[in-house]
Amino acid sequence: MKLFVYDTPELTPTGKTPDCAIAVDVLRATSTIATVLASGGEAVQAFSDLDQLIEVSEKWPAEKRLRAGERGGAKVAGFELGNSPLDCTPELVQGRRLFISTTNGTRALQRIQDSPTVLAAALINRAAVVQYILEKQPETVWIVGSGWEGSFSLEDTACAGAIAHSIVEQSQLSLEELAGNDEVISAIALYSQWQNDLLGLFHQASHGKRLLRLECDEDLKYCAQTDILDVLPMQQEPGVLKSK
């Protein structure tokens, strides 16, 4: 098994797909996806284009759908939800499909959607993702951070490091055997430095600061927790994730 970390979708090799690809957007798309599925949502369908989201979701009965849209950290007008996992309560999402489009996370999912296995990971469901990787032992694994509009983001790379760190700890393989690129070593180092203060890391991150300006303090606290949800969002068809 070889692990590769890519800090943004744009940095992934073109014309290639791994055996297993993991999308990471800690603040907040993959945290929201995991929360929706853990709360009983039927599925999450991701779109990079808002008009396409509206067109597809119109075909679903109103009582069976929810639309979540976020641009620049703020909710898109006319949508029921923005991108806050805290709004995704069981009472609201139970049995419904969430149609979601966000600034960064949905682009990451789109980039890797042709891989045989596609997972969505955040810190809150890290353990479930790691357990799957250790059980299935895919030959190549990409962990793809969403970043922010094509640029590096601290929180996504730290989450990639959290996943890689846990795989190294729990497998019989050495870091030298597992690491497919230098970014794996870098991500583990970042996570190792901040693992006891992930919320502090979020406060240093540019997107964390953006969300603090939007008064999303509670979102940051929630997303900074590790291993609190036993849920594995897995792509069933392109763009559609369900709990495995």
Side-chain angles (χ1 to χ4, degrees):
M1 181 165 62
K2 282 286 183 189
L3 291 180
F4 298 82
V5 168
Y6 298 103
D7 298 315
T8 69
E10 292 79 6
L11 291 171
T12 57
T14 50
K16 284 187 182 179
T17 53
D19 297 303
C20 177
I22 304 169
V24 175
D25 185 10
V26 177
L27 297 175
R28 297 165 286 171
T30 53
S31 296
T32 296
I33 289 166
T35 302
V36 168
L37 295 177
S39 299
E42 179 265 333
V44 178
Q45 191 161 352
F47 298 82
S48 51
D49 182 76
L50 288 168
D51 292 333
Q52 191 188 12
L53 183 158
I54 292 166
E55 185 186 332
V56 173
S57 63
E58 282 293 333
K59 296 168 184 162
W60 281 70
E63 69 277 8
K64 289 289 183 183
R65 71 172 185 232
L66 284 168
R67 291 167 176 159
E70 170 268 321
R71 288 295 182 270
K75 182 165 89 75
V76 173
F79 282 49
E80 290 99 341
L81 296 167
N83 191 20
S84 173
L86 297 179
D87 292 339
C88 302
T89 60
E91 296 77 21
L92 183 64
V93 306
Q94 185 84 38
R96 290 172 142 185
R97 177 168 293 206
L98 184 79
F99 297 86
I100 187 170
S101 181
T102 71
T103 308
N104 305 294
T106 44
R107 280 190 10 264
L109 282 163
Q110 195 170 41
R111 167 61 191 94
I112 60 175
Q113 69 181 16
D114 293 333
S115 304
T117 302
V118 175
L119 309 174
L123 289 163
I124 55 176
N125 72 323
R126 173 190 61 168
V129 172
V130 169
Q131 184 183 349
Y132 177 86
I133 297 298
L134 292 172
E135 279 175 13
K136 300 294 182 185
Q137 294 282 320
E139 205 166 302
T140 53
V141 180
W142 290 5
I143 309 174
V144 182
S146 299
W148 177 262
E149 296 182 345
S151 298
F152 175 92
S153 73
L154 280 171
E155 68 278 1
D156 289 346
T157 298
C159 182
I163 294 166
H165 181 269
S166 197
I167 290 171
V168 171
E169 278 199 329
Q170 294 181 54
S171 74
Q172 303 303 310
L173 298 169
S174 69
L175 181 55
E176 191 176 2
E177 290 171 298
L178 271 170
N181 61 1
D182 287 0
E183 288 91 329
V184 175
I185 314 295
S186 174
I188 290 174
L190 177 65
Y191 170 71
S192 298
Q193 181 171 344
W194 289 92
Q195 61 183 313
N196 297 317
D197 187 19
L198 290 166
L199 182 59
L201 176 71
F202 289 6
H203 281 250
Q204 297 291 332
S206 58
H207 191 41
K209 291 174 180 175
R210 197 174 289 111
L211 290 171
L212 287 170
R213 288 195 294 274
L214 292 166
E215 299 184 349
C216 297
D217 311 48
E218 294 304 314
D219 277 13
L220 264 62
K221 289 177 190 171
Y222 176 77
C223 295
Q225 300 174 96
T226 47
D227 309 335
I228 61 165
L229 297 182
D230 185 19
V231 64
L232 184 68
M234 181 180 287
Q235 182 174 266
Q236 304 298 315
E237 58 186 271
V240 178
L241 297 124
K242 294 191 176 187
S243 180
K244 185 182 177 299

